[in-house]
Amino acid sequence: MKRIVIINGPNLDRLGLREPEIYGDQTLTDLENLLTEEAATLGVDVQFYQSNHEGFLIDEIGEYADSEVFGLILNPGALTHTSLALRDAIAGSDLPTVEVHISNIYRREEIRQHSITAPACIGVLSGLGFDGYVAALRYLANLD
Ligand code: CA2
């Protein structure tokens, strides 16, 4: 069965606890439950990883690259706007990766409007809330 890993970066473990006006009131566990249900419908296997540490995220992506993982859904959090190292890890993994943002980064402060990681990804979904992750999962489930 095709395996897709959903990776959430710094502070996304705090979803639902603060700033509901930006990120909604649902938690990371709610997101993981939603994607587990969707995966069952699509007939794919999902695995989840969250870390607040850039190096851990990079190590993890490297491990997926050398495994049976088919593709990644990645919300790099604020590392989106700062981390060339994370972009290199995505590019070096050769795994089809969809970047997802809960909020629309293009409607926010200027510093959030540029993604350093996006050029290493197949596409970006930004501003669709949790639906962006669901759409990314459907996309990867149908990708050959
Ligand atoms: O919109 C997104 O998904 C972001 O990737 C979220 C990041 C932000 O730095 C990006 O610019 C856009 C931050 C996630 C922090 O989420 C929190 C949620 C609740 C409480 C505290 C932080």
Side-chain angles (χ1 to χ4, degrees):
M1 198 186 267
K2 205 187 246 186
R3 173 168 294 193
I4 295 161
V5 183
I6 295 96
I7 305 174
N8 282 290
N11 295 308
L12 287 155
D13 55 333
R14 309 271 302 151
L15 272 180
L17 306 179
R18 295 273 187 285
E19 301 187 278
E21 65 290 354
I22 301 175
Y23 302 115
D25 58 8
Q26 291 190 290
T27 65
L28 185 59
T29 302
D30 292 331
L31 174 64
E32 293 178 353
N33 289 339
L34 174 71
L35 294 173
T36 300
E37 275 177 32
E38 185 65 23
T41 306
L42 294 168
V44 296
D45 188 28
V46 279
Q47 187 177 319
F48 301 100
Y49 182 73
Q50 190 279 328
S51 177
N52 294 325
H53 304 279
E54 184 177 16
F56 288 173
L57 292 163
I58 291 167
D59 286 347
E60 200 71 14
I61 290 170
E63 282 179 26
Y64 300 143
D66 301 330
S67 76
E68 296 298 301
V69 169
F70 174 82
L72 307 177
I73 298 171
L74 172 65
N75 184 342
L79 294 172
T80 304
H81 320 295
T82 62
S83 181
L84 192 55
L86 189 55
R87 166 159 136 193
D88 288 347
I90 303 162
S93 76
D94 235 9
L95 293 170
T97 300
V98 180
E99 180 169 312
V100 173
H101 298 286
I102 296 166
S103 65
N104 180 351
I105 59 172
Y106 303 103
R107 291 180 74 173
R108 300 190 62 191
E109 312 96 292
E110 204 177 336
I111 199 167
R112 294 185 199 275
Q113 291 177 16
H114 179 68
S115 170
I116 290 183
T117 45
C121 299
I122 291 191
V124 180
L125 290 155
S126 184
L128 305 182
F130 285 7
D131 287 348
Y133 292 85
V134 173
L137 186 59
R138 288 183 185 153
Y139 172 81
L140 288 173
N142 289 320
L143 189 68
D144 290 326

